[in-house]
Amino acid sequence: MPKEKPRWKQGDAESGKFATADAARALRERAQAAARETDGHLPEDVASLSPESARALVHELQVHQIELELQNEELRRAQEELEASRTRYFDMYDLAPVGYVTVGENGRVLEANLAAAALLALPRGELVQQPLTRFIFAEDQDTYFKHQKGLKVRSPHSCELRLVKGSGEAFWVQLEARVGIDAAGAYIARMVLSDITARKHAEQTLAASESRHRILFENSRDALMTLAPPSWQFTRANAATLKMFGAADPARFLTRTLWSCSPARQADGRLSEEKGQAMIGLALQKGYHSFDWICLRAPAEAFRATVGLVRLEANGVPMLHATLRDETHLEQERVSAAQTERLASMGLVAASVGHEINNPLAYVLSNLESLAEMLPPPASEQIPPGSPSGTLEHPASNPHEDAVLLDPTKLQMASELTRDALDGARRITRISRVLSTFSRADAPELREVDLQAAIESAISIAFNEIRFRAEMVTELGVVPAVWASEGKLSQVFLNLLVNAAHAIGEKAGEQQRITVRTWAENGQVFAEVKDTGKGIAPENLAKVFEPFFTTKEVGVGSGLGLSICRNIVAEFGGDIRVESELGKGTLFVVRLRAAAAGPRQSEAFDDEVPQAIPRGRVLIIDDEELLRTMMKRLLVDHEVVIASSGSAARALLEHDLDFDVILCDLMMPEVSGVDVHRWLTQHAPSVAKRLVFVTGGAFGQVAAEYVENSGNLKLEKPFDNRSFKDLVASLVQDGKRDRRSGIKALGKSEK
């Protein structure tokens, strides 16, 4: 029987350490001892073994050898797996992107990976057995101790605190810990350290940004607010918003919507709520939308604002940030800029106006002086003191002077002098009326305006700038009236004409032209101003309408003219475009809305003189004595009553209202024409309708609006004699007819 093969103990295999020489030597010694134990089982005389026994022994040895080889292979595979496990552990633990630290019950570091050492900028050996609190920022020690207490109650548990590197630099980490038990049964804390410095800096930056936003939001001069669905009420509003809307109670204001702070309808006639919902829909769709809006300020003052809506997201819910800008002051600034440009334009043509007035004024004065010398003194000046009434004392030379006066040649000369003086006075009148057109450039309302008259007014003012530079050519077709403000429309063409003249400059020997042409097409009215000047460079063509852009020399232009022209024309519902070529000239085309289907007809008094002029009773109210005298002299066919002031007229009217016509100066000190009319409207409405405002053209916006709304006639000074007398005669007829109708109606009611 073969002897039993010695068995290897599991501990022997497990304790075999082949990595060192001592382990190999110890294994050798143990193998030799085991061999000696087996020697006793071998026969002393191997040769005496039977073949079967020998074969069995050899077989046993082979099996044992194979078993050893298999065990060796298993050990080799186990060692490889162990090495692979160690590599994976190294990769997962030491090379992890976050720091791993194991802390014992005493608070000391038992183990730390490479990432933890890198975070603290220290060799790993200097971390082990060091108190973790040594690396915690002083101000965050309490946070760490609270975290440790919380860890005993809840695991895992996390906190955010600052650690200190070996260099002394602090940085933020998120510390997440979990409680565990080591091999000896002691409690340990396995901690994960994640660097959150960048996130903290971003949070601080965001907090600072939010703080700045809050400061800007609260202190912005524009009204800022947020709107939230579904009703789109205000959820937040700054102080400027509350001030803009006159909101005394901020909490109550935050329950309102944009359309509840507005009139029922907007300027385009749409319901405020309907239009507001539509504007919000566009802002949500596009991300941003801007529009004009009419708001209401407490108690009921309407004002125009520009609203901008920006879409925001809050936790996935769309919201809107609204910016409201009160355009009242901006409109005033635009009006001021337009006034400045208009004054600049008027300054450029002041010499022209002076020239146009001074020329006729010179021969008017000369002719009147000549007439005064030719005419004899009044008869009353020839009656010596003490002479009987109606008896004239004629000096010896009187017959000769009378003969001279009655000389046909002298009479013809006096007639010519009178006609020339009258013609000059009319020229001055036309110039005065042209200037008065520009004084009405601030009128806010649009009305039917004669385009041809506006262009001719601008040409009259700019003519002295043009006459020495170019030939003025007009091709004014028959066009309908346009919707505009007469003064502003004249200013547009004045700017275009002056620019054309400056573009031509002084070109001796070359025939230059400025052409103004008008025509109507498809319900629109067009006017073009074309010059043969130097033209505009292509790179500047797109900028000519920008504010403060000018190609003129320094000190010649403000750069506001064309910008204001574009704004004015856009206000009328039209547009203006430009074409230009260097060296050939420039063309501006203005498009305006037609006010009526038919052409505008010039107004004129009927040339026929009434056959019978009814005698009427007329009250003249004017603080200028010469004007009162002049009007009274023209109205010799009527009974005229004079009042030298508004207060005197009101005192007279308190006991005498029997007037067919009242001619009242608009601008008088203390009691104006507006005051007189307002008093009549309250005490005698039927008489108030017979009042005619007489004005020299210089009056404020309030007075202009009052006169416009009153419906009464307005007579502008100066006026020609015939038109004045015909107007009064017509008004007397109307007044007497109305008074007769009133008497008949009263008689019927009494019956």
Side-chain angles (χ1 to χ4, degrees):
M1 289 284 300
K3 295 184 180 178
E4 185 180 354
K5 170 177 73 73
R7 296 187 178 275
W8 296 94
K9 297 180 181 178
Q10 183 69 21
D12 293 340
E14 291 178 354
S15 61
K17 307 295 182 182
F18 304 104
T20 64
D22 292 340
R25 188 166 45 255
L27 184 61
R28 177 71 179 176
E29 292 176 353
R30 290 172 61 191
Q32 289 175 349
R36 284 194 294 272
E37 291 180 1
T38 59
D39 286 345
H41 300 285
L42 293 174
E44 293 181 0
D45 187 3
V46 178
S48 62
L49 292 175
S50 64
E52 291 79 7
S53 298
R55 282 195 297 272
L57 180 59
V58 171
H59 176 73
E60 182 69 19
L61 289 174
Q62 288 176 340
V63 170
H64 184 60
Q65 181 181 359
I66 292 172
E67 183 180 6
L68 288 176
E69 289 175 354
L70 292 174
Q71 289 178 349
N72 184 55
E73 180 64 22
E74 289 179 0
L75 287 173
R76 186 184 61 77
R77 283 199 301 270
Q79 183 177 6
E80 289 177 352
E81 291 177 359
L82 178 62
E83 291 299 325
S85 177
R86 285 177 177 175
T87 301
R88 287 195 300 272
Y89 175 80
F90 178 80
D91 290 342
M92 295 178 61
Y93 184 80
D94 272 356
L95 300 182
V98 294
Y100 290 128
V101 175
T102 303
V103 179
E105 283 187 299
N106 58 0
R108 292 180 178 273
V109 177
L110 301 178
E111 191 176 17
N113 71 343
L114 292 176
L119 284 175
L120 293 168
L122 290 171
R124 182 157 45 174
E126 295 185 17
L127 298 179
V128 179
Q129 296 304 319
Q130 294 294 325
L132 184 61
T133 53
R134 170 189 166 188
F135 307 105
I136 295 176
F137 194 68
E139 295 180 5
D140 294 344
Q141 293 284 344
D142 288 344
T143 303
Y144 176 71
F145 286 119
K146 290 178 181 178
H147 170 267
Q148 290 298 93
K149 289 182 179 180
L151 187 61
K152 295 178 180 179
V153 178
R154 184 175 73 254
S155 179
H157 191 51
S158 65
C159 69
E160 295 178 356
L161 47 75
R162 284 166 291 181
L163 298 181
V164 180
K165 296 183 178 182
S167 61
E169 178 187 355
F171 64 100
W172 281 94
V173 296
Q174 182 180 28
L175 188 153
E176 184 172 353
R178 185 185 300 272
V179 174
I181 300 176
D182 64 5
Y187 284 100
I188 57 173
R190 294 188 174 92
M191 302 180 179
V192 180
L193 306 177
S194 302
D195 190 347
I196 59 170
T197 305
R199 193 194 82 191
K200 278 292 184 180
H201 287 168
E203 289 176 354
Q204 292 170 356
T205 302
L206 180 60
S209 177
E210 289 178 348
S211 176
R212 288 194 297 270
H213 173 75
R214 190 178 302 107
I215 293 173
L216 291 173
F217 183 88
E218 294 298 335
N219 295 282
S220 173
R221 297 177 61 182
D222 293 331
L224 305 178
M225 61 200 76
T226 54
L227 290 70
S231 60
W232 299 108
Q233 289 181 339
F234 303 142
T235 58
R236 187 181 177 195
N238 66 348
T241 303
L242 302 177
K243 181 179 179 181
M244 178 181 291
F245 287 96
D249 185 356
R252 183 179 179 184
F253 181 78
L254 293 181
T255 63
R256 306 183 67 183
T257 60
L258 180 61
W259 42 88
S260 68
C261 299
S262 310
R265 294 185 180 273
Q266 289 298 304
D268 57 3
R270 296 176 65 182
L271 291 171
S272 291
E273 182 173 1
E274 174 194 342
K275 183 174 181 178
Q277 293 282 9
M279 298 300 101
I280 287 175
L282 289 174
L284 293 174
Q285 178 183 352
K286 299 190 301 182
Y288 173 79
H289 186 57
S290 176
F291 53 93
D292 292 333
W293 192 260
I294 304 298
C295 301
L296 280 181
R297 193 176 1 248
E301 177 190 352
F303 65 96
R304 190 170 67 86
T306 300
V307 181
L309 297 178
V310 180
R311 173 177 172 152
L312 303 174
E313 296 282 343
N315 298 323
V317 178
M319 300 185 70
L320 290 173
H321 175 83
T323 303
L324 270 76
R325 178 164 295 176
D326 189 344
E327 297 291 344
T328 305
H329 298 300
L330 294 178
E331 184 65 26
Q332 293 173 350
E333 291 176 1
R334 282 194 289 267
V335 170
S336 177
Q339 177 70 8
T340 300
E341 178 63 21
R342 187 165 67 254
L343 290 175
S345 300
M346 296 300 290
L348 289 174
V349 297
S352 173
V353 175
H355 179 271
E356 293 297 319
I357 289 179
N358 287 335
N359 280 351
L361 188 61
Y363 61 76
V364 166
L365 291 175
S366 175
N367 290 3
L368 291 177
E369 287 178 2
S370 298
L371 285 172
E373 292 174 357
M374 292 174 62
L375 293 174
S380 59
E381 296 181 9
Q382 300 182 25
I383 301 175
S387 298
S389 177
T391 303
L392 296 180
E393 178 182 339
H394 296 278
S397 59
N398 276 352
H400 174 71
E401 291 178 358
D402 292 343
V404 172
L405 180 62
L406 297 176
D407 179 39
T409 304
K410 295 293 184 181
L411 287 176
Q412 179 66 25
M413 182 182 297
S415 177
E416 292 177 358
L417 290 174
T418 303
R419 284 196 298 269
D420 291 344
L422 182 60
D423 178 70
R426 286 172 177 166
R427 283 182 59 184
I428 295 172
T429 298
R430 286 194 296 271
I431 295 170
S432 174
R433 286 179 176 170
V434 168
L435 290 175
S436 69
T437 297
F438 287 88
S439 72
R440 295 192 293 270
D442 291 334
E445 71 281 353
L446 302 184
R447 64 181 67 190
E448 293 186 19
V449 173
D450 186 341
L451 177 61
Q452 179 174 336
I455 292 174
E456 289 175 345
S457 296
I459 292 175
S460 298
I461 294 295
F463 190 69
N464 200 54
E465 285 286 312
I466 297 171
R467 63 190 302 180
F468 300 112
R469 302 170 185 258
E471 177 188 0
M472 185 72 238
V473 179
T474 56
E475 300 174 3
L476 305 180
V478 178
V479 297
V482 297
W483 281 114
S485 162
E486 185 178 8
K488 289 183 178 180
L489 188 59
S490 297
Q491 183 186 352
V492 168
F493 288 103
L494 174 61
N495 285 343
L496 295 179
L497 289 168
V498 171
N499 283 350
H502 289 175
I504 290 174
E506 301 293 340
K507 290 189 176 182
E510 297 185 23
Q511 183 62 41
Q512 303 298 323
R513 299 180 107 197
I514 296 176
T515 305
V516 179
R517 185 169 72 94
T518 62
W519 72 96
E521 183 179 332
N522 298 327
Q524 308 286 328
V525 179
F526 297 85
E528 70 175 26
V529 178
K530 183 178 181 181
D531 67 67
T532 56
K534 58 186 178 183
I536 303 172
E539 63 271 16
N540 294 330
L541 201 58
K543 298 185 288 185
V544 294
F545 293 112
E546 294 180 3
F548 303 108
F549 177 81
T550 180
T551 58
K552 299 177 183 179
E553 298 178 1
V554 177
V556 176
S558 65
L560 290 172
L562 290 177
S563 173
I564 290 174
C565 286
R566 181 184 61 180
N567 292 340
I568 290 175
V569 174
E571 180 185 334
F572 300 159
D575 56 46
I576 180 171
R577 61 182 177 86
V578 60
E579 300 174 7
S580 187
E581 186 175 351
L582 276 177
K584 293 188 176 181
T586 302
L587 169 70
F588 285 93
V589 179
V590 177
R591 181 183 63 84
L592 299 165
R593 291 187 299 156
R600 183 176 180 87
Q601 302 295 332
S602 299
E603 297 178 359
F605 289 104
D606 191 353
D607 289 338
E608 296 183 4
V609 179
Q611 296 298 321
I613 300 176
R615 181 174 177 79
R617 195 161 186 263
V618 180
L619 172 62
I620 297 175
I621 310 170
D622 202 303
D623 59 336
E624 289 285 345
E625 182 180 359
L626 293 179
L627 286 174
R628 295 195 305 269
T629 303
M630 178 267 293
M631 287 189 283
K632 183 176 181 180
R633 184 171 63 245
L634 293 175
L635 301 177
V636 293
D637 295 327
H638 304 279
E639 178 186 351
V640 178
V641 179
I642 297 293
S644 61
S645 66
S647 56
R650 197 161 62 186
L652 186 152
L653 290 168
E654 287 179 352
H655 58 80
D656 186 1
L657 294 171
D658 189 22
F659 294 102
D660 298 298
V661 180
I662 299 176
L663 301 172
C664 182
D665 187 19
L666 180 61
M667 303 303 293
M668 294 181 291
E670 297 181 0
V671 179
S672 67
V674 170
D675 298 328
V676 173
H677 182 269
R678 188 179 287 119
W679 183 88
L680 280 173
T681 302
Q682 296 173 354
H683 296 84
S686 61
V687 179
K689 296 178 182 179
R690 303 174 204 152
L691 184 143
V692 177
F693 291 105
V694 182
T695 173
F699 48 88
Q701 185 64 35
V702 175
E705 292 178 358
Y706 183 89
V707 172
E708 183 68 24
N709 296 331
S710 69
N712 288 54
L713 288 177
K714 181 179 66 173
L715 178 63
E716 293 191 359
K717 297 178 286 189
F719 40 77
D720 62 87
N721 295 352
R722 181 179 174 185
S723 297
F724 177 71
K725 290 190 287 187
D726 289 350
L727 174 64
V728 173
S730 175
L731 293 174
V732 166
Q733 283 183 327
D734 293 342
K736 289 187 177 296
R737 183 172 57 251
D738 292 343
R739 293 165 71 185
R740 284 196 300 269
S741 300
I743 293 172
K744 289 180 180 179
L746 179 61
K748 290 181 181 180
S749 64
E750 289 176 350
K751 291 179 181 179

